[in-house]
């Protein structure tokens, strides 16, 4: 009988006993909801909350908001903390990058090489990404109630075929800013076979160190020496976010080899403290100097550990909430592609309302958008799976006997 790691919540079985790593899906779910709330909050902002709401600005906001009234000060403190949390909505993108590396690698570690070779691997991965991405473009064109920030021109066609990089200053955030992540995924997929072979040759530890150094140097050269567009650092150049992706790849190998040991360390108190330290260091590294080279890697890795603890606790102690987060995580790709124009439009209509009213309205909006996105993605995935099965059958029939 497999023993439950000592520091996991009582009565919570190890993830290795299930067919899916549910806590990973739940991490995606929390990240997706956080990102969606941020986009809505950003659109609703009228300058009431300082941006960013740092500790110093938070103290001034609470003092001016609450005055000498104790209860009012307590309410303003809660409001400031919630607003600061909403403002940190871009950070979970680093968690998605890490989980992308994990997801791609975890399946491959079972066989060592992709079934049917890397060519077939590319076909299946692109078939997973492109159909929903194309549907998101069509939905944007025909749907009402979406925020339209850019004119439709040649860039829409470039975006449709997957280009979110060239020209970087005109297309990176074009039409739907969330789609920049698709361009980063395409770059990472392109170099993934090389990364995977390098990790198998040198081992996860040395591979992770190399990728960390490569990321820091890339980020420093881009903003500190070349003074390139900040879009390259955010993700237009894959090397600037390789740290998070490589952490996911290395984590997948270690998890496959020693799942109980990895979960025991990850979900221990020491693991949580380590994640918290990395996250705080990443926050303070977010400065216009050399420390910025370390910021996203530290924040993404540390936040992943923190969210892993949060979602693991939810799955073990509040199973209905954990199940909801898991469902959102499973279909987070479609939600990610579709949500932002709607959330911006809704956020603009919520300007000037109280934070409590905003939170309730944003939660309802996310629920509606997520439900629609899940239905669309389910249909697209079924259709894609059917087409892939036909493709595989034709490929097998065409092979010489």
């Amino acid at each position: 009988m497999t023993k439950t790691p000592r520091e996991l919540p009582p009565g919570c079985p190890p993830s290795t006993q299930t067919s899916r790593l549910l806590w990973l899906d739940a991490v995606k779910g929390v990240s997706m909801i956080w990102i969606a709330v941020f986009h809505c909050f950003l659109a609703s902002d009228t300058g009431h909350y300082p941006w960013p709401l740092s500790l110093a600005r938070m103290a001034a906001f609470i003092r001016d908001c609450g005055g000498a009234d104790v209860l009012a000060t307590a309410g303003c403190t809660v409001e400031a903390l919630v607003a600061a949390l909403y403002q940190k909505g871009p950070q979970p993108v680093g968690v998605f990058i890490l989980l992308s590396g994990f997801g791609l690698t975890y399946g491959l570690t079972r066989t060592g090489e992709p079934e049917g070779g890397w060519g077939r691997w590319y076909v299946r991965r692109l078939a997973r990404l492109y159909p929903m991405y194309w549907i998101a473009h069509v939905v944007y064109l025909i749907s009402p109630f979406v925020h339209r920030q850019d004119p439709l021109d040649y860039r829409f066609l470039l975006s449709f075929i997957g280009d979110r990089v060239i020209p970087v200053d005109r297309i990176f955030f074009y039409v739907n800013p969330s789609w920049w992540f698709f361009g980063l995924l395409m770059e990472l997929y392109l170099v993934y076979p090389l990364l995977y072979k390098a990790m198998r040759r040198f081992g996860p530890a040395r591979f992770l160190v190399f990728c960390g150094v490569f990321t820091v140097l890339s980020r420093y050269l881009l903003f500190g020496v070349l003074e390139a567009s900040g879009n390259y650092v955010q993700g237009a150049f894959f090397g600037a976010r390789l740290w998070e992706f490589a952490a996911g790849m290395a984590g997948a190998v270690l998890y496959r080899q020693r799942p109980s040991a990895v979960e025991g360390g990850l979900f221990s108190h020491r693991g949580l403290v380590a994640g918290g330290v990395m996250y705080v260091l990443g926050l303070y590294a977010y400065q216009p100097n050399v420390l910025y080279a370390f910021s996203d890697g530290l924040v993404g890795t540390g936040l992943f550990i923190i969210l892993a603890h949060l979602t693991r606790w939810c799955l073990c102690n509040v199973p209905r909430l954990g199940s909801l987060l898991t469902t959102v995580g499973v279909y987070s790709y479609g939600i990610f592609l579709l949500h932002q124009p709607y959330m911006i439009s809704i956020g603009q209509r919520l300007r000037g309302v109280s934070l409590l009213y905003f939170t309730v309205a944003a939660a309802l909006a996310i629920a509606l958008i997520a439900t629609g996105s899940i239905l669309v993605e389910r249909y697209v995935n079924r259709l894609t799976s059917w087409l892939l099965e036909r493709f595989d059958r034709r490929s097998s029939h065409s092979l010489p006997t």
Side-chain angles (χ1 to χ4, degrees):
M1 180 178 179
T2 304
K3 294 183 178 180
T4 303
R6 179 175 57 85
E7 295 182 275
L8 290 180
C12 188
S15 297
T16 51
Q17 293 180 353
T18 63
S19 58
R20 288 185 66 95
L21 302 179
L22 298 181
W23 59 273
L24 285 177
D25 290 325
V27 169
K28 291 182 184 179
V30 171
S31 299
M32 185 64 257
I33 293 171
W34 195 352
I35 290 170
V37 171
F38 163 75
H39 288 145
C40 192
F41 185 75
L42 183 64
S44 69
D45 177 55
T46 58
H48 178 62
Y49 303 100
W51 202 288
L53 201 51
S54 60
L55 290 177
R57 293 182 177 182
M58 186 180 299
F61 171 82
I62 295 171
R63 183 181 62 251
D64 296 339
C65 171
D69 189 293
V70 176
L71 291 178
T73 298
C76 292
T77 300
V78 173
E79 186 177 349
L81 291 174
V82 173
L85 181 67
Y86 290 167
Q87 288 184 1
K88 297 296 185 286
Q91 295 174 350
V93 172
V95 177
F96 272 115
I97 297 173
L98 187 151
L99 291 176
S100 296
F102 187 99
L104 287 179
T105 308
Y106 187 70
L108 285 179
T109 54
R110 183 175 300 166
T111 59
E113 292 289 339
E115 181 182 355
W118 286 105
R120 188 168 180 266
W121 180 87
Y122 273 117
V123 169
R124 300 192 71 85
R125 296 314 306 170
L126 295 180
R128 171 69 180 92
L129 292 185
Y130 262 104
M132 193 63 207
Y133 180 68
W134 287 330
I135 290 295
H137 281 70
V138 175
V139 169
Y140 177 85
L141 283 178
I142 66 175
S143 177
F145 311 117
V146 296
H147 173 70
R148 303 187 188 278
Q149 65 177 32
D150 296 303
L152 296 178
D153 52 32
Y154 72 96
R155 292 173 293 174
F156 194 84
L157 178 59
L158 291 179
S159 176
F160 191 79
I161 64 177
D163 175 20
R164 299 295 301 188
V165 177
I166 300 173
V168 69
D169 289 324
R170 289 178 53 79
I171 201 170
F172 191 70
F173 292 123
Y174 175 68
V175 172
N176 185 335
S178 292
W179 292 347
W180 72 263
F181 188 72
F182 184 88
L184 174 61
L185 285 181
M186 289 297 98
E187 292 186 31
L188 291 169
Y189 277 26
L190 182 64
V191 300
Y192 180 78
L194 297 177
L195 297 174
Y196 181 72
K197 292 176 182 178
M199 184 174 62
R200 293 190 67 189
R201 179 176 179 180
F202 298 110
R206 285 190 290 178
F207 170 76
L208 187 55
V209 170
F210 170 80
C211 290
V213 172
F214 185 86
T215 301
V216 170
L217 290 178
S218 296
R219 293 170 66 88
Y220 176 72
L221 289 174
L222 284 169
F223 75 83
V225 178
L226 301 177
E227 297 182 353
S229 168
N231 297 337
Y232 285 111
V233 179
Q234 180 166 340
F237 174 58
F238 78 94
R241 306 305 296 263
L242 186 57
W243 175 333
E244 297 115 300
F245 190 75
M249 291 179 63
V253 173
L254 295 175
Y255 195 90
R256 179 70 76 178
Q257 293 173 347
R258 298 184 294 275
S260 297
V262 170
E263 282 201 1
L266 176 63
F267 294 114
S268 67
H269 299 311
R270 287 176 295 179
L272 180 59
V273 169
V277 169
M278 282 190 286
Y279 180 69
V280 171
L281 289 176
L283 289 180
Y284 281 96
Y286 206 82
Q287 303 293 332
N289 54 42
V290 68
L291 294 178
Y292 183 63
F294 298 86
S295 59
D296 284 334
L298 287 169
V299 166
T301 307
L303 187 58
F304 164 73
I305 296 173
I306 294 170
L307 293 183
H309 277 259
L310 173 64
T311 56
R312 183 70 166 159
W313 182 88
C314 288
L315 286 166
C316 298
N317 297 280
V318 194
R320 289 189 178 181
L321 176 59
S323 177
L324 175 63
L325 295 174
T326 299
T327 301
V328 173
V330 170
Y331 295 99
S332 57
Y333 179 60
I335 300 172
F336 194 90
L337 290 173
L338 292 172
H339 80 281
Q340 187 167 3
Y342 294 101
M343 295 305 292
I344 292 177
S345 179
I346 293 167
Q348 291 173 341
R349 289 166 171 78
L350 294 175
R351 288 176 177 172
V353 303
S354 68
L355 189 62
L356 177 60
Y357 185 94
F358 166 84
T359 301
V360 173
L364 292 174
I366 292 169
L368 290 174
I369 294 170
T371 300
S373 299
I374 289 171
L375 292 175
V376 172
E377 187 172 359
R378 281 178 175 172
Y379 177 79
V380 171
N381 288 345
R382 284 200 297 266
L383 179 60
T384 303
S385 298
W386 178 76
L387 292 173
L388 282 174
E389 289 175 4
R390 290 178 60 87
F391 172 79
D392 289 341
R393 284 199 298 267
R394 288 190 176 186
S395 298
S396 61
H397 292 332
S398 65
L399 292 174
T401 59

